[in-house]
Amino acid sequence: MHIEPGLVDSAKIGLSYVTASVAIIAVAKASVNNIKMNNPLTFLVKSAITTMLVFTFFQILPHYSVGVSEVHFIMGSTLFLLFGLAPASIGLALGLFIQGALFSQIDLPQYGMNITTLLVPLMALSYVANKIIATDTPYTKLKYAQVFKLSLVYQAGIVSWVTFWAIYGQGFGVENVLSILSFGGAYMLVVLIEPLVDLGLLAMAKFLTGRFNKNNFFEKRLYNAVQA
């Protein structure tokens, strides 16, 4: 979901710095909590893994320009389930920055919009996960309906933010609205794929429980219920 250059001009782009700053502050708070529950080394390793994965998702996996942005397989819910909110957020922010700095410098002015679009829906996903997943249910025991809801929340959040930036930058002109609709329609197709990927990885994690359930480099909730 790289926002197309010029969609929001320089006179308006300052808002993205504000939204990005709020998102980064929220990530910092989640990171502190994560370090307290684990340890700095574990947090750094998980963040490094998610950063490499996000870079791979953006640079190597298929992606297509559609309407006002690009359609990517971001796998936000996958990163969340395997590594947790804070490491997933760090990975999304750093992976996107590295990809832009090395291969797509034209996207860097839109970085504030892009990380807002990635991180705020991930926080919404985390909130929904706490609501729909019972505290005695590890992620390896999730059902398709639950995983689908998480993916839907994340992808719908991305489409919503892209829509906001497009209307904020270009208004309600017919051409802009049609571009938004074409992007939204294409992006929601990801919802059909991501839950299947998540379920496959969760099934693999469950099969490998004996090897990985004590591995600190995965999200604790992957194998364990929430501690009272």
Side-chain angles (χ1 to χ4, degrees), residues 80-81 126-143 145-147 149-150 219-228:
F80 171 82
L81 293 170
S126 177
Y127 175 82
V128 171
N130 289 334
K131 294 295 183 181
I132 68 173
I133 302 173
T135 56
D136 62 350
T137 303
Y139 291 157
T140 52
K141 294 184 179 180
L142 293 181
K143 306 298 183 183
Q146 293 170 305
V147 175
K149 287 177 183 178
L150 296 181
E219 166 65 17
K220 286 184 177 180
R221 189 74 193 275
L222 183 63
Y223 290 107
N224 303 287
V226 173
Q227 297 296 321

Side-chain angles (χ1 to χ4, degrees), residues 166-192:
I167 292 175
Y168 175 68
Q170 301 295 321
F172 289 94
V174 173
E175 183 177 352
N176 191 43
V177 171
L178 290 177
S179 293
I180 292 170
L181 291 174
S182 63
F183 168 78
Y187 216 106
M188 295 312 289
L189 293 176
V190 177
V191 178
L192 301 177

